Amino acid sequence: MARPSTSYYLDYNATAPMLPEVQESMLQYWQSGPGNPSSLHEPGRRARAALHEARAVAAGALGAKESEVVFTSGGTESISLALQGLLGLCSRPLHVITSAIEHPATLESVRALEGPDVRTAVLPVDEFGRIAVTHVVDAVLPSTRLVTLMLANNEIGTIEPVAAVARAVASNGVLVHTDAVQAFGKMSVRVSDLDVHSLSISGHKFGGPPGTGLLYVRDGVRFQPSLRGGRQEGGRRAGTENVAGAVGLAVAMKLAVDRLDETTRCVRASTAAFLETIEEAGVEFTVNGLPPRSDGTLPNTLNLAFTGIEAQSLLVHLDLAGVAASSGSACSSGAVEPSHVLRALGLPEDRVRGSVRFSFGASIDAQAAKNAAQRVIDIVRCLRS
Ligand SMILES: Cc1ncc(COP(=O)(O)O)c(C=O)c1O
């Protein structure tokens, strides 16, 4: 089959295209010449000033202080740094609480902590992927030092009650970290609203440069660095900073905040058009997670189950038809592992196996969404015939 000339990228939760303004800011920085922000000479001072400016802009986008920003290489590093950093100086034995639908960056980091003096609780979610605040409170032990919960799920878009959890456990002196990697740029993310001690984001999810991220660590929270070396990033992450990356990340963060309303309107219109087109064609499917258009879910994320079809096969056909989407399945040593998130919702196996995630961004308007939906309809009909 010849590949169609128009293609549709519906995988924004995997990675979003880098914004032209971000590319321009990085290019300008690179063209200004070399400079290590730790050097005392003029090129060093120039790099230091650019890093300082990026930190101020990034902090502003989160409602944080400049001293609370740690630039990292992405979401995975931020999460790992947070868990090790927050727990490193805590007395042991200790206990950590997380949820069953976290990204592997969290689940694997938590698992790696487990040992004779570190116990963990991985809490279940309801059929829509929601964590109950009462479950978290009930799981708190005298030795609980940290709760780490994602703000929004990458596969189904469900938004978690992180602020309510943070307030509910505050009197127990428990630290709270949130993985806001999918939330930032798709909903309002302000550290003062969330009341968390630390928060992770990743540049490439909202138009920033790949390989950039940020960890917010509230002032006054004791933190043990995992990388040893220089005193960069307030002593919380050693190593010469990626200044161009920080510059680009800060520009992307500011634009994401400034354009949030516009982006939300656009992705709401395109997800609605996509769903309506499939519904009107009479193709059978079920929505995984909360109903789209509800407040409790990211406006850009649709996870649809086409029962009776293997998601991998649907994805291959969609790819050939110029539609990029994904499933939450992990591929390990040649075998496809069904999504741990959909399993945690308690869905039947055939629904898990037939589920595909479509995630939208500002470059997909309603007409493009309808066109992409038509390709989905044609392929689903063909695979079911
Ligand atoms: C919810 C969530 N957390 C963490 C990560 C990891 O981020 P990164 O790819 O920047 O390491 C991802 C990436 O898909 C994610 O969706």
Side-chain angles (χ1 to χ4, degrees):
M1 183 164 77
R3 215 185 160 77
S5 56
T6 317
S7 58
Y8 301 102
Y9 184 74
L10 305 185
D11 207 8
Y12 269 71
N13 287 10
T15 196
M18 212 200 302
L19 295 167
E21 295 89 338
V22 171
Q23 297 181 30
E24 184 53 39
S25 69
M26 294 175 76
L27 201 58
Q28 261 185 27
Y29 175 75
W30 276 318
Q31 284 171 345
S32 69
N36 183 323
S38 299
S39 301
L40 297 178
H41 45 57
E42 196 280 330
R45 288 198 300 278
R46 193 164 22 80
R48 195 151 60 248
L51 189 63
H52 179 76
E53 165 70 13
R55 197 180 305 283
V57 173
L62 282 174
K65 295 183 206 141
E66 291 165 38
S67 53
E68 296 174 323
V69 166
V70 179
F71 287 117
T72 69
S73 68
T76 301
E77 186 195 326
S78 295
I79 293 166
S80 166
L81 199 62
L83 302 197
Q84 294 185 50
L86 296 175
L87 293 173
L89 298 171
C90 290
S91 60
R92 293 169 184 234
L94 60 81
H95 179 240
V96 179
I97 298 172
T98 191
S99 87
I101 60 162
E102 300 296 312
H103 188 272
T106 297
L107 288 175
E108 292 302 320
S109 293
V110 167
R111 210 163 282 150
L113 291 166
E114 277 170 2
D117 57 357
V118 179
R119 288 177 53 209
T120 60
V122 181
L123 302 184
V125 293
D126 70 10
E127 75 264 38
F128 300 113
R130 290 176 304 198
I131 292 148
V133 180
T134 49
H135 280 175
V136 181
V137 173
D138 290 348
V140 172
L141 304 172
S143 59
T144 305
R145 298 284 171 269
L146 179 72
V147 175
T148 178
L149 293 180
M150 65 197 333
L151 188 49
N153 184 267
N154 45 308
E155 290 187 38
I156 53 176
T158 302
I159 297 169
E160 302 299 346
V162 171
V165 166
R167 282 177 208 125
V169 303
S171 60
N172 301 71
V174 175
L175 296 168
V176 178
H177 168 260
T178 190
D179 166 1
V181 166
Q182 288 296 339
F184 191 84
K186 299 175 186 132
M187 60 183 273
S188 169
V189 177
R190 306 280 299 171
V191 291
S192 54
D193 296 341
L194 289 167
D195 256 342
V196 291
H197 299 89
S198 79
L199 173 147
S200 298
I201 69 170
S202 170
H204 72 103
K205 302 291 186 185
F206 52 88
T212 65
L214 182 152
L215 176 66
Y216 155 82
V217 184
R218 193 196 284 178
D219 269 357
V221 170
R222 282 163 19 109
F223 194 88
Q224 179 168 278
S226 358
L227 293 177
R228 305 289 176 163
R231 297 285 307 156
Q232 290 92 347
E233 298 300 299
R236 290 164 299 196
R237 183 189 189 260
T240 303
E241 300 89 341
N242 171 8
V243 182
V247 166
L249 175 70
V251 169
M253 288 178 71
K254 176 158 176 21
L255 291 176
V257 171
D258 291 350
R259 295 175 181 168
L260 182 61
D261 289 346
E262 189 188 327
T263 307
T264 304
R265 260 195 307 279
C266 170
V267 295
R268 273 199 201 291
S270 45
T271 51
F274 185 83
L275 268 184
E276 276 159 27
T277 307
I278 302 181
E279 273 162 1
E280 280 164 15
V283 165
E284 229 177 90
F285 69 92
T286 326
V287 173
N288 296 323
L290 286 164
R293 305 164 200 135
S294 70
D295 280 345
T297 185
L298 292 177
N300 81 316
T301 306
L302 291 177
N303 195 305
L304 307 182
F306 298 93
T307 308
I309 292 179
E310 285 291 321
Q312 295 311 310
S313 162
L314 177 53
L315 289 171
V316 169
H317 283 82
L318 283 172
D319 185 27
L320 292 172
V323 178
S326 70
S327 74
S329 312
C331 187
S332 55
S333 47
V336 178
E337 279 284 314
S339 151
H340 71 285
V341 174
L342 299 183
R343 282 200 159 153
L345 307 190
L347 304 181
E349 202 60 21
D350 59 338
R351 188 159 148 191
V352 172
R353 300 197 78 87
S355 292
V356 170
R357 177 188 71 186
F358 302 95
S359 49
F360 295 75
S363 72
I364 305 288
D365 63 14
Q367 187 54 53
K370 283 185 194 173
N371 298 346
Q374 191 54 53
R375 294 187 190 177
V376 175
I377 292 163
D378 294 343
I379 292 167
V380 170
R381 281 191 176 137
C382 175
L383 291 174
R384 280 194 174 142
S385 65

